[in-house]
Amino acid sequence: MNKKETAEIKKNFSDNSGFFIMEKILTAFVDSEKNVRYNNVNSCLTMPAEEHEVYSETLKKVLNTNVGKAFVEYEFPNEAYETGKSQDILYKLLKSELKDEQACEDFVNHIADNLVYAGNYVLITAYCCYTVRRKDKNDDFADGEDEIYRYLLTAVCPVTTGSDGFVFDYLNNEIVKKLNTELIISKAPTDGFLYPVFSNRSTDVNHVMYYSQKANNPNISMVENVLGCTFVMSAENEKANFQTILKNVVGEDLDYMVIKSVNERIQEFVEENKDDTDQTVIDHLMLKEILSDVGVPEERVQMVKPVYDKVCGKAPLTASNLVEKKTVMVTAGITVNIKPEASDKVRTSVIDGRRCLLIDIDDPTIEINGLPVTLN
């Protein structure tokens, strides 16, 4: 799923859409010892509006449009469809529309047994249907038979007793310390997933989208143990590995202009492919092309493959995870933040034998600590 497809599902995740319905909700409470203390399925059609709204608000957070970082697509390995394995469990639950008690129990137990989680949590899974209107080549709605995209959306929400504080006691007209012993379910899920994915505006049961509240610190047990997929590098690790490759390949030729130019080329690459369903990635071949284009010497460019293989193996890097939204230059006691639109106003040079950072200033009036100063 790309950002556009995710945005379409998120936009229509509402009763006001006219093309969407959330039919049933499965909820379960799992304690810190992996015991399933509660497991139930409710119809959304008879649910109180206030309750329905809370579930919708919580589940919608899983549909994060930061695709490739907070919301990552995974492919099931072939063995995942074997009886009792992750894809088989999810597929049976999907087909049951949360009406089969055994399918629901197997699903909850599979997560409780395999998810590594600090503390109690509540599992919320909704069975949803979205009517996919056909579109023509111009991206306009067209006549034709609509497809029904049926999917499961799951959120894992932490449960705590909250913070003790002071409350006003109306009965005794006094401020007293509140002893909070109630288990409070957070409306901000730490993890979640969408199955099956919405790819090319159609159903793909062989892939799943995993959501992590902390994109740089995902729960690997959810990906590998629960979903049965092979974990890929986090966005933070991808960027760190990319920087390692650049430092080792470019070496002493790595300067401001090279870093700026490489970042711009990757930004262009992401923009050119923003509507593609497949994830836009950078492999060693694309990196060689980029470094050649920005003027890195050929002997350095030829080092890309062995360095890349050593750092990343055969795994490609997600292009959007490598893009820097601003350039940060740091030296002893000085930090300079440069936005993309101002990158051409900054350059390095050697003046009177000293290495200098030069900034072009079109307007002689600048601000220092919030105060206007005119440069002469």
Tab-separated table of all heavy atoms in Angstrom, residues 52 167 231 353:
chain	number	residue	atom	x	y	z
A	52	HIS	N	-19.182	3.472	20.070
A	52	HIS	CA	-18.760	3.290	18.676
A	52	HIS	C	-17.734	4.352	18.278
A	52	HIS	O	-16.739	4.063	17.603
A	52	HIS	CB	-19.988	3.373	17.764
A	52	HIS	CG	-19.725	3.021	16.340
A	52	HIS	ND1	-19.112	3.896	15.458
A	52	HIS	CD2	-19.994	1.906	15.624
A	52	HIS	CE1	-19.016	3.339	14.270
A	52	HIS	NE2	-19.546	2.124	14.341
A	167	VAL	N	-8.444	15.487	43.709
A	167	VAL	CA	-9.774	15.759	43.166
A	167	VAL	C	-10.557	16.569	44.191
A	167	VAL	O	-10.223	16.588	45.387
A	167	VAL	CB	-10.528	14.447	42.838
A	167	VAL	CG1	-9.828	13.668	41.739
A	167	VAL	CG2	-10.691	13.579	44.073
A	231	PHE	N	11.167	-9.347	9.799
A	231	PHE	CA	11.294	-7.937	10.171
A	231	PHE	C	12.310	-7.221	9.282
A	231	PHE	O	13.371	-7.758	8.961
A	231	PHE	CB	11.730	-7.820	11.631
A	231	PHE	CG	11.965	-6.412	12.081
A	231	PHE	CD1	10.916	-5.550	12.287
A	231	PHE	CD2	13.255	-5.948	12.295
A	231	PHE	CE1	11.134	-4.242	12.701
A	231	PHE	CE2	13.488	-4.645	12.715
A	231	PHE	CZ	12.422	-3.804	12.917
A	353	GLY	N	43.160	30.919	3.956
A	353	GLY	CA	43.657	29.696	4.561
A	353	GLY	C	42.760	29.099	5.632
A	353	GLY	O	43.102	28.068	6.218
